[in-house]
PDB file of all heavy atoms in Angstrom:
ATOM      1  N   LEU J  14       4.220  -1.161   5.461  1.00 85.00           N
ATOM      2  CA  LEU J  14       5.309  -1.649   6.369  1.00 85.00           C
ATOM      3  C   LEU J  14       4.901  -3.201   6.730  1.00 85.00           C
ATOM      4  O   LEU J  14       5.830  -3.946   6.873  1.00 85.00           O
ATOM      5  CB  LEU J  14       5.311  -0.853   7.561  1.00 85.00           C
ATOM      6  CG  LEU J  14       6.444  -1.024   8.579  1.00 85.00           C
ATOM      7  CD1 LEU J  14       7.870  -0.854   7.848  1.00 85.00           C
ATOM      8  CD2 LEU J  14       6.369  -0.057   9.786  1.00 85.00           C
ATOM      9  N   MET J  28      -2.889  -9.302  19.806  1.00 83.00           N
ATOM     10  CA  MET J  28      -4.149  -9.551  19.118  1.00 83.00           C
ATOM     11  C   MET J  28      -4.746 -10.781  19.786  1.00 83.00           C
ATOM     12  O   MET J  28      -4.428 -12.030  19.370  1.00 83.00           O
ATOM     13  CB  MET J  28      -4.040  -9.707  17.742  1.00 83.00           C
ATOM     14  CG  MET J  28      -3.620  -8.387  17.020  1.00 83.00           C
ATOM     15  SD  MET J  28      -3.724  -8.399  15.226  1.00 83.00           S
ATOM     16  CE  MET J  28      -5.496  -8.270  15.006  1.00 83.00           C
ATOM     17  N   VAL J  29      -5.575 -10.593  20.822  1.00 88.00           N
ATOM     18  CA  VAL J  29      -6.095 -11.841  21.591  1.00 88.00           C
ATOM     19  C   VAL J  29      -6.902 -12.644  20.612  1.00 88.00           C
ATOM     20  O   VAL J  29      -7.827 -12.063  19.866  1.00 88.00           O
ATOM     21  CB  VAL J  29      -7.002 -11.293  22.799  1.00 88.00           C
ATOM     22  CG1 VAL J  29      -7.593 -12.417  23.496  1.00 88.00           C
ATOM     23  CG2 VAL J  29      -6.194 -10.374  23.616  1.00 88.00           C
ATOM     24  N   GLY J  33       0.024 -15.232  17.182  1.00 87.00           N
ATOM     25  CA  GLY J  33       0.843 -16.396  16.740  1.00 87.00           C
ATOM     26  C   GLY J  33       0.307 -17.145  15.420  1.00 87.00           C
ATOM     27  O   GLY J  33       1.086 -17.874  14.890  1.00 87.00           O
ATOM     28  N   ARG J  34      -0.945 -16.798  14.964  1.00 90.00           N
ATOM     29  CA  ARG J  34      -1.441 -17.502  13.864  1.00 90.00           C
ATOM     30  C   ARG J  34      -0.894 -16.742  12.535  1.00 90.00           C
ATOM     31  O   ARG J  34      -0.713 -15.482  12.620  1.00 90.00           O
ATOM     32  CB  ARG J  34      -2.969 -17.404  13.730  1.00 90.00           C
ATOM     33  CG  ARG J  34      -3.592 -18.325  14.862  1.00 90.00           C
ATOM     34  CD  ARG J  34      -5.139 -18.258  14.653  1.00 90.00           C
ATOM     35  NE  ARG J  34      -5.684 -19.090  15.697  1.00 90.00           N
ATOM     36  CZ  ARG J  34      -6.952 -19.277  15.920  1.00 90.00           C
ATOM     37  NH1 ARG J  34      -7.855 -18.627  15.126  1.00 90.00           N
ATOM     38  NH2 ARG J  34      -7.392 -19.906  16.840  1.00 90.00           N
ATOM     39  N   PRO J  37      -3.834 -14.667   6.944  1.00 91.00           N
ATOM     40  CA  PRO J  37      -4.297 -15.214   5.649  1.00 91.00           C
ATOM     41  C   PRO J  37      -3.749 -14.350   4.429  1.00 91.00           C
ATOM     42  O   PRO J  37      -3.655 -13.176   4.524  1.00 91.00           O
ATOM     43  CB  PRO J  37      -5.708 -15.168   5.701  1.00 91.00           C
ATOM     44  CG  PRO J  37      -6.126 -15.042   7.267  1.00 91.00           C
ATOM     45  CD  PRO J  37      -4.874 -14.340   7.840  1.00 91.00           C
ATOM     46  N   SER J  49      -3.000   0.085  -3.720  1.00 91.00           N
ATOM     47  CA  SER J  49      -1.832   0.521  -4.686  1.00 91.00           C
ATOM     48  C   SER J  49      -2.473   1.019  -5.916  1.00 91.00           C
ATOM     49  O   SER J  49      -1.945   1.960  -6.551  1.00 91.00           O
ATOM     50  CB  SER J  49      -0.956  -0.704  -4.930  1.00 91.00           C
ATOM     51  OG  SER J  49      -1.576  -1.652  -5.723  1.00 91.00           O
ATOM     52  N   VAL J  50      -3.497   0.425  -6.520  1.00 94.00           N
ATOM     53  CA  VAL J  50      -4.147   0.898  -7.665  1.00 94.00           C
ATOM     54  C   VAL J  50      -4.893   2.236  -7.374  1.00 94.00           C
ATOM     55  O   VAL J  50      -4.678   3.136  -8.247  1.00 94.00           O
ATOM     56  CB  VAL J  50      -5.264  -0.217  -8.108  1.00 94.00           C
ATOM     57  CG1 VAL J  50      -6.147   0.446  -9.187  1.00 94.00           C
ATOM     58  CG2 VAL J  50      -4.532  -1.426  -8.567  1.00 94.00           C
ATOM     59  N   MET J  58      -3.932  11.129 -11.655  1.00 91.00           N
ATOM     60  CA  MET J  58      -4.958  12.170 -11.873  1.00 91.00           C
ATOM     61  C   MET J  58      -4.595  13.573 -11.354  1.00 91.00           C
ATOM     62  O   MET J  58      -4.782  14.568 -12.017  1.00 91.00           O
ATOM     63  CB  MET J  58      -6.297  11.758 -11.259  1.00 91.00           C
ATOM     64  CG  MET J  58      -7.359  12.732 -11.498  1.00 91.00           C
ATOM     65  SD  MET J  58      -8.866  12.449 -10.426  1.00 91.00           S
ATOM     66  CE  MET J  58      -8.243  12.931  -8.909  1.00 91.00           C
ATOM     67  N   PHE J  68      -4.595  24.007 -10.626  1.00 68.00           N
ATOM     68  CA  PHE J  68      -4.166  24.601  -9.280  1.00 68.00           C
ATOM     69  C   PHE J  68      -3.315  25.819  -9.542  1.00 68.00           C
ATOM     70  O   PHE J  68      -2.531  26.118  -8.559  1.00 68.00           O
ATOM     71  CB  PHE J  68      -3.306  23.481  -8.539  1.00 68.00           C
ATOM     72  CG  PHE J  68      -4.101  22.242  -8.476  1.00 68.00           C
ATOM     73  CD1 PHE J  68      -3.725  21.023  -9.177  1.00 68.00           C
ATOM     74  CD2 PHE J  68      -5.250  22.038  -7.700  1.00 68.00           C
ATOM     75  CE1 PHE J  68      -4.417  19.847  -9.057  1.00 68.00           C
ATOM     76  CE2 PHE J  68      -5.860  20.941  -7.614  1.00 68.00           C
ATOM     77  CZ  PHE J  68      -5.517  19.788  -8.308  1.00 68.00           C
ATOM     78  N   ASP J  74       0.478  27.447  -1.714  1.00 68.00           N
ATOM     79  CA  ASP J  74       0.092  26.226  -0.991  1.00 68.00           C
ATOM     80  C   ASP J  74       0.857  24.981  -1.441  1.00 68.00           C
ATOM     81  O   ASP J  74       0.280  23.936  -1.547  1.00 68.00           O
ATOM     82  CB  ASP J  74      -1.373  26.041  -1.175  1.00 68.00           C
ATOM     83  CG  ASP J  74      -2.053  25.238  -0.185  1.00 68.00           C
ATOM     84  OD1 ASP J  74      -1.354  24.922   0.867  1.00 68.00           O
ATOM     85  OD2 ASP J  74      -3.129  24.713  -0.256  1.00 68.00           O
ATOM     86  N   THR J  78       0.314  20.626  -1.883  1.00 73.00           N
ATOM     87  CA  THR J  78       0.184  20.089  -3.255  1.00 73.00           C
ATOM     88  C   THR J  78       1.303  19.180  -3.734  1.00 73.00           C
ATOM     89  O   THR J  78       1.079  18.215  -4.481  1.00 73.00           O
ATOM     90  CB  THR J  78      -0.051  21.221  -4.282  1.00 73.00           C
ATOM     91  OG1 THR J  78       1.013  22.063  -4.261  1.00 73.00           O
ATOM     92  CG2 THR J  78      -1.424  21.986  -4.040  1.00 73.00           C
ATOM     93  N   GLU J  81       1.417  15.297  -2.994  1.00 81.00           N
ATOM     94  CA  GLU J  81       0.444  14.368  -3.807  1.00 81.00           C
ATOM     95  C   GLU J  81       1.115  14.000  -5.126  1.00 81.00           C
ATOM     96  O   GLU J  81       0.714  13.043  -5.813  1.00 81.00           O
ATOM     97  CB  GLU J  81      -0.792  15.132  -4.042  1.00 81.00           C
ATOM     98  CG  GLU J  81      -1.673  15.206  -2.740  1.00 81.00           C
ATOM     99  CD  GLU J  81      -2.918  15.930  -2.927  1.00 81.00           C
ATOM    100  OE1 GLU J  81      -3.292  16.266  -4.102  1.00 81.00           O
ATOM    101  OE2 GLU J  81      -3.557  16.273  -1.960  1.00 81.00           O
ATOM    102  N   MET J  82       2.180  14.705  -5.543  1.00 84.00           N
ATOM    103  CA  MET J  82       2.934  14.425  -6.735  1.00 84.00           C
ATOM    104  C   MET J  82       3.716  13.012  -6.625  1.00 84.00           C
ATOM    105  O   MET J  82       4.027  12.432  -7.608  1.00 84.00           O
ATOM    106  CB  MET J  82       3.870  15.447  -7.167  1.00 84.00           C
ATOM    107  CG  MET J  82       3.263  16.769  -7.365  1.00 84.00           C
ATOM    108  SD  MET J  82       2.532  16.726  -9.028  1.00 84.00           S
ATOM    109  CE  MET J  82       2.259  18.491  -9.303  1.00 84.00           C
ATOM    110  N   ALA J  90       5.398   1.429  -5.600  1.00 91.00           N
ATOM    111  CA  ALA J  90       6.139   0.652  -4.562  1.00 91.00           C
ATOM    112  C   ALA J  90       5.287  -0.264  -3.760  1.00 91.00           C
ATOM    113  O   ALA J  90       5.773  -1.332  -3.365  1.00 91.00           O
ATOM    114  CB  ALA J  90       6.785   1.694  -3.601  1.00 91.00           C
ATOM    115  N   LEU J  96       3.392  -7.597  -4.513  1.00 93.00           N
ATOM    116  CA  LEU J  96       3.854  -8.771  -5.340  1.00 93.00           C
ATOM    117  C   LEU J  96       4.889  -9.686  -4.562  1.00 93.00           C
ATOM    118  O   LEU J  96       4.774 -10.884  -4.604  1.00 93.00           O
ATOM    119  CB  LEU J  96       4.275  -8.289  -6.632  1.00 93.00           C
ATOM    120  CG  LEU J  96       4.440  -9.270  -7.705  1.00 93.00           C
ATOM    121  CD1 LEU J  96       3.094  -9.965  -8.019  1.00 93.00           C
ATOM    122  CD2 LEU J  96       5.026  -8.670  -9.006  1.00 93.00           C
ATOM    123  N   ALA J  97       5.875  -8.960  -4.051  1.00 91.00           N
ATOM    124  CA  ALA J  97       6.901  -9.737  -3.281  1.00 91.00           C
ATOM    125  C   ALA J  97       6.357 -10.449  -2.098  1.00 91.00           C
ATOM    126  O   ALA J  97       6.693 -11.566  -1.774  1.00 91.00           O
ATOM    127  CB  ALA J  97       7.914  -8.655  -2.811  1.00 91.00           C
ATOM    128  N   VAL J 105       4.105 -23.712  -2.241  1.00 79.00           N
ATOM    129  CA  VAL J 105       4.525 -24.581  -3.246  1.00 79.00           C
ATOM    130  C   VAL J 105       3.429 -24.903  -4.166  1.00 79.00           C
ATOM    131  O   VAL J 105       2.334 -25.198  -3.702  1.00 79.00           O
ATOM    132  CB  VAL J 105       5.214 -25.783  -2.764  1.00 79.00           C
ATOM    133  CG1 VAL J 105       5.600 -26.803  -3.922  1.00 79.00           C
ATOM    134  CG2 VAL J 105       6.388 -25.571  -1.851  1.00 79.00           C
TER     135      VAL J 105
END
Side-chain angles (χ1 to χ4, degrees):
L14 189 59
M28 295 189 76
V29 179
R34 293 185 184 176
S49 69
V50 169
M58 181 194 68
F68 307 113
D74 201 15
T78 58
E81 291 179 10
M82 299 284 194
L96 194 60
V105 177

